Amino acid sequence: MKEKAKDSQFLTDIKILRERARKEIEKGAVTPGYRADRKTVINLLNEALATEVVCVLRYKRHFYMASGINAQSVAQEFLQHANEEQMHADQIAQRIVQLGGEPNLSPEGMLSRSHSEYVEGKNLVDMIKEDLVAERVAIDSYREMINYLGNDDSTTRRMLEGILAMEEEHADDLVSLLEEMGEK
Ligand SMILES: [Fe+2]
Ligand SMILES: [Fe+2]
């Protein structure tokens, strides 16, 4: 018995954990062991959410415009990115709710909450370049958020690391498109 207690001395007693869980049940996934500043994390995630929504809209616009000028392979890339940005938005919104916050999907102020811009672009090359700028902005802001979180909220951090990896892939795809078009 004593041996066992020694083994688990760094763990909080299971009975205390259960009591706490019961008492704070209304806080959902946020337990007293949550070390990050919940409000700040929710605010940051809402900015990331706005960024993703603006990216969905910009990629969709570019998809339809590229389809119109018969640039099918580029259009398909835009569409794929739009769908993946939508997945990111959903993941982020879900995490905000888990943290006891509310996802801000109000169109009002969406663009000012977003880190990336909504630029329509005059032609195909322009569109790709604008998307690349937006991806690079997203990459930097995700990196900053990940650093900020450190070990204080590893679930959010892991989610953001997954998203960051995909934004890097997006940027890479866009660079390849520009190269194919002799633009780089
Ligand atoms: Fe994204
Ligand atoms: Fe992206």
Side-chain angles (χ1 to χ4, degrees), residues 51-52 55 81 84-89 92 135 138 142 163 166-167 170:
T51 304
E52 294 291 350
C55 286
H81 287 197
E84 285 165 349
E85 309 303 11
Q86 181 62 61
M87 266 170 38
H88 297 162
I92 293 167
E135 294 290 354
Y142 281 124
I163 295 176
M166 199 173 280
E167 309 303 8
H170 287 171

Side-chain angles (χ1 to χ4, degrees), residues 5 26 31 45 48 51 56 65 89 97 107 128 144 161-162 171 175-176 183:
E26 74 279 2
T31 64
L45 289 178
T51 304
V56 171
M65 292 308 285
V97 172
I128 301 170
E144 268 179 41
E161 282 169 348
V175 169
S176 301
E183 282 293 320

Side-chain angles (χ1 to χ4, degrees), residues 55 58-59 62 78 81 85 116-117 119 124-140 167-179 183-184:
C55 286
R58 195 193 56 255
Y59 273 125
H62 291 177
F78 288 158
H81 287 197
E85 309 303 11
S116 54
E117 290 176 287
V119 182
L124 208 52
V125 170
D126 227 32
M127 290 179 214
I128 301 170
K129 283 183 175 167
E130 287 303 335
D131 291 330
L132 182 54
V133 170
E135 294 290 354
R136 291 175 63 95
V137 169
I139 287 168
D140 273 345
E167 309 303 8
E168 287 175 344
E169 270 179 47
H170 287 171
D172 211 44
D173 293 342
L174 296 166
V175 169
S176 301
L177 284 178
L178 285 174
E179 278 168 0
E183 282 293 320
K184 242 197 146 196

Side-chain angles (χ1 to χ4, degrees), residues 53-78:
V53 171
V54 167
C55 286
V56 171
L57 295 173
R58 195 193 56 255
Y59 273 125
K60 282 274 180 159
R61 154 85 186 193
H62 291 177
F63 163 65
Y64 286 112
M65 292 308 285
S67 302
I69 51 179
N70 219 8
Q72 286 316 311
S73 62
V74 180
Q76 284 313 307
E77 198 72 51
F78 288 158

